[in-house]
Amino acid sequence: IYSLCIEQHPLNICFRAPQASQTPTPTHLQNALFGMGNPLLDICAVVDKDFLDKYGLKPNDQILAEEKHKEMFEEIVKKFKVEYHAGGATQNSVKVAQWMIQEPHKVATFFGCIGKDKFGKILKEKAEEAHVDAHYYEQSQEPTGTCAACITGDNRSLIANLAAANCYKKEKHLDLAENWKLVEKAQVYYIAGFFLTVSLESILKVAKHASQNNKIFCLNLSAPFICEFFKEALMKVMPYVDILFGNETEAATFAREQGFETEDIEEIAKKAQSLPKENKKRQRIVVFTQGKEGTVMTKGDKVETFPVLEIDQSEMVDTNGAGDAFVGGFLSQLVQDKTFEQCIRAGHYAANVIIRHAGCTFPEKPDFH
């Protein structure tokens, strides 16, 4: 919840993800996608308006837990029927990418911090079941992070208690030779904006590596509060961002905070695209989803809108994880050198599957061609 190319000619903007000199055999895909973020155990429940009001929650939002929310995690388990899922935005996305690809296993590497406890054990099992190559930094000061997903109708309010996820340390994990080798092995990197609250220095180390080696670095705006309260950290990473993801609410907040003086999503995408960029060999791509409205993507000097797959209201279970799933679908094609149009199609497919299931869960196999 908290809730990507190989050598290309300079500014050769043909809107394909880069072509490798040969089609990668499946084994070349192992560890080709790298994600780093906040691993959280999701606690999902359908709640009522009274519950939201009691804890001052908006129906559709994502926030970090404060003191007033501490009892909420216990109350939700006692009062409502809950489901547990391995979560955290980046972990969700790489999990979906792996599901879309199926074979080989361990296409995605994931780094994050957990506690040495029961929830940490569950997260490790879940990552293994999803065939993600998770290398967690384990510590005993803080328990494994949790995220309450409070669902009302097709809205979802997310309250994350980062706990252990907050304790990720660059020098104790990312800098270790065996871990850095996995970073170097990757071609595509994805980090959700939520991780800006945890370890900016880790993000910058990975982002600079991607930029200097002409690989693809992707970042998600993730939540309005990131654009607002972590603006400085966000803008330190922005020059290295090859693909920027976000939804319409995040895009609007980002535009306001950056003084773009427009509320038009296509204009915001163009302005975000033209922010300063380190690696001049590839133009930044900006992708903004808008729920059931079309997805906006910058294309050279143009902006294109791609319609989402239609879904009958009665088939929707909840929208929790839909944004993460979209990114996961997108990344699954990007890492295989498909066109950006194909990446969007896969993103729409994955999101469409996820909203038919509780939380960020999916059937055994995808049906995507």
Side-chain angles (χ1 to χ4, degrees):
I1 288 167
Y2 250 88
S3 79
L4 328 149
C5 293
I6 298 152
E7 192 60 59
Q8 233 183 345
H9 294 102
L11 298 177
N12 173 16
I13 304 150
C14 57
F15 302 102
R16 295 183 67 80
Q19 298 300 316
S21 54
Q22 61 191 63
T23 307
T25 56
T27 52
H28 286 128
L29 280 176
Q30 279 189 329
N31 302 105
L33 174 61
F34 175 84
M36 181 166 62
N38 300 330
L40 303 171
L41 190 69
D42 291 346
I43 304 167
C44 305
V46 174
V47 303
D48 49 37
K49 187 178 177 301
D50 290 349
F51 186 79
L52 294 184
D53 291 346
K54 180 176 177 181
Y55 291 102
L57 304 170
K58 294 177 191 163
N60 207 10
D61 199 9
Q62 46 242 48
I63 60 167
L64 291 175
E66 297 169 39
E67 202 50 49
K68 65 177 181 185
H69 299 120
K70 291 288 187 268
E71 287 171 17
M72 190 199 76
F73 290 88
E74 285 176 31
E75 189 177 337
I76 196 169
V77 173
K78 282 182 191 152
K79 204 168 172 184
F80 304 99
K81 184 173 177 286
V82 301
E83 283 189 18
Y84 295 103
H85 303 289
T90 304
Q91 189 165 232
N92 277 343
S93 293
V94 299
K95 202 168 73 171
V96 170
Q98 178 67 61
W99 169 71
M100 289 284 286
I101 292 167
Q102 292 281 306
E103 297 280 342
H105 293 162
K106 298 190 174 180
V107 167
T109 311
F110 178 75
F111 287 4
C113 183
I114 61 172
K116 293 180 180 176
D117 53 21
K118 186 181 71 174
F119 283 168
K121 194 164 171 274
I122 294 172
L123 274 179
K124 285 199 280 192
E125 285 164 9
K126 295 280 181 192
E128 211 167 300
E129 279 168 25
H131 307 301
V132 169
D133 194 15
H135 292 257
Y136 296 118
Y137 167 49
E138 297 181 51
Q139 49 73 63
S140 37
Q141 278 76 42
E142 286 282 340
T144 298
T146 48
C147 181
C150 304
I151 297 148
T152 49
D154 59 0
N155 289 319
R156 52 102 184 95
S157 194
L158 309 174
I159 308 90
N161 181 25
L162 293 184
N166 231 347
C167 302
Y168 189 82
K169 297 279 182 286
K170 172 178 165 287
E171 62 284 359
K172 289 193 177 169
H173 195 262
L174 186 67
D175 291 347
L176 302 184
E178 67 270 23
N179 290 335
W180 187 249
K181 263 192 200 138
L182 288 165
V183 176
E184 291 178 324
K185 202 175 172 190
Q187 293 297 328
V188 172
Y189 303 82
Y190 173 68
I191 297 177
F194 294 118
F195 202 58
L196 288 163
T197 72
V198 174
S199 184
L200 173 62
E201 60 278 20
S202 296
I203 300 177
L204 285 171
K205 183 173 183 181
V206 171
K208 285 174 184 174
H209 167 80
S211 182
Q212 285 156 6
N213 293 278
N214 198 26
K215 298 170 175 184
I216 299 192
F217 181 80
C218 309
L219 185 78
N220 203 317
L221 293 175
S222 293
F225 82 85
I226 298 290
C227 307
E228 206 171 338
F229 303 114
F230 293 87
K231 179 165 56 176
E232 200 181 318
L234 177 61
M235 296 322 285
K236 278 184 182 160
V237 179
M238 197 58 73
Y240 306 100
V241 177
D242 297 301
I243 302 180
L244 180 69
F245 294 102
N247 66 23
E248 73 279 31
T249 324
E250 293 147 13
T253 308
F254 182 69
R256 192 183 70 236
E257 289 297 321
Q258 295 299 322
F260 285 174
E261 294 183 348
T262 179
E263 290 178 6
D264 180 274
I265 195 152
E266 295 195 358
E267 282 303 310
I268 296 169
K270 272 197 241 178
K271 284 181 185 275
Q273 180 187 39
S274 62
L275 288 166
K277 190 168 186 302
E278 279 291 317
N279 180 7
K280 304 284 191 277
K281 290 180 182 170
R282 53 175 95 256
Q283 188 177 23
R284 180 179 293 125
I285 303 287
V286 178
V287 183
F288 289 148
T289 57
Q290 306 180 82
K292 50 182 180 285
E293 303 304 317
T295 297
V296 168
M297 179 171 75
T298 58
K299 233 185 148 186
D301 300 328
K302 295 196 201 82
V303 181
E304 213 173 305
T305 301
F306 299 83
V308 301
L309 296 169
E310 284 187 15
I311 182 167
D312 195 295
Q313 203 68 23
S314 63
E315 291 177 22
M316 280 178 66
V317 176
D318 75 64
T319 56
N320 186 23
D324 299 337
F326 171 83
V327 172
F330 191 105
L331 297 175
S332 74
Q333 305 304 297
L334 189 63
V335 82
Q336 297 181 79
D337 302 330
K338 306 292 190 201
T339 64
F340 286 120
E341 286 81 357
Q342 175 78 344
C343 294
I344 293 244
R345 218 166 61 74
H348 285 162
Y349 167 80
N352 188 271
V353 169
I354 290 315
I355 57 182
R356 298 165 194 265
H357 295 79
C360 194
T361 59
F362 33 79
E364 194 184 338
K365 292 210 164 134
D367 178 24
F368 177 76
H369 309 291

